[in-house]
Amino acid sequence: MAPSLLPTKAGDRVKTNRRDALHLARLARSGDLPAVSVPTVEEAAMRALTRAREDALSDLKDAQCRLQAFVLRHDLRSTGRATWNPAHLRWLSAVVCPTPAPHIVLQDDLRAVTEHTARLRRLEQALQERVQAWRLTPVVEALQALRGVQCTVAVPTVAELGDLTRCDTPRALMQCLGLIPSAYATGARRRQGAMTKAGNTHARRALVEGAWAYRDPATVSRHLQLRLAKQPKAIQDISGQAQGRLCKRDRTLIARGKHAHQVVVAMARELLGFMWAIAKAVPVTPEDHKPEHEQPVTQKVS
């Protein structure tokens, strides 16, 4: 149960085991105990790994911003067209400042970018290896049939939410992530606001990143074709329905004058619904299922 959501009386400062037991019994009888999903040891480990990758990516972006600000302050212009590729890093390593102090700062910032890049690659490689032996690997692979949902989006979403089908309806899953709009209604008056932002922040951020792909017209790229070829016909149909509906929905909302951030949240909300439909179509090994050599051995005591 969720301790933070248990109803309590204001001003009640008497706390004993007997009173707590009676209070919990009355709440259980009335159905007022909100349940929460407790992750398994394997899911918690994957969650920690995906969050470590997210932290490494954030640190890398901060280091790149510091280095880019230093380059702009000293009016150093690169002749290349792209940034942060091997050619751009070689140009940065060859830059020589007129005085020793700025050159030390430049080398230190460049070293930080290199170290965070190597750290991010190590975590991504470890994540790829751990996903192959995960119980929810079939769900992760099936979710990648959706446009904009690659491994970096599918794995954090499944790691943070666990089994997507634990919710009876996709709307209940949307409420868990806080993607539904807040509402205030009284009488004939009804007003909707921004999304509630309740629930898991990491999964919501991954969904919003994947939803940006539907801002472009509907198309099937080469990478998406390769991912779709590994999935059955039912999941391919869901992927096609999702792309057609979300791209059309995006154009409709933009034509109504909605802000791009509001539109992408709406896309993420509906994208989660299609993820729920795909998870329902994928068979997953139950948590309590173990091979015969891993089953506990019981002994009869006389």
Side-chain angles (χ1 to χ4, degrees), residues 145 147 217-226 228 239-240 243:
R147 180 184 178 185
T219 183
V220 180
S221 63
R222 177 59 179 170
H223 298 285
L224 183 57
Q225 289 178 359
L226 296 177
L228 286 172
S239 176
Q243 185 164 185

Side-chain angles (χ1 to χ4, degrees), residues 39-56 119 123 127 134 155-156 159-160 202:
T40 62
V41 176
E42 188 180 13
E43 292 176 356
M46 289 297 300
R47 185 178 298 182
L49 192 57
T50 56
R51 293 183 180 182
R53 178 197 169 275
E54 185 179 343
D55 294 338
R119 175 192 172 195
L123 290 174
L127 189 62
W134 194 17
V155 175
E160 297 293 343
H202 304 276

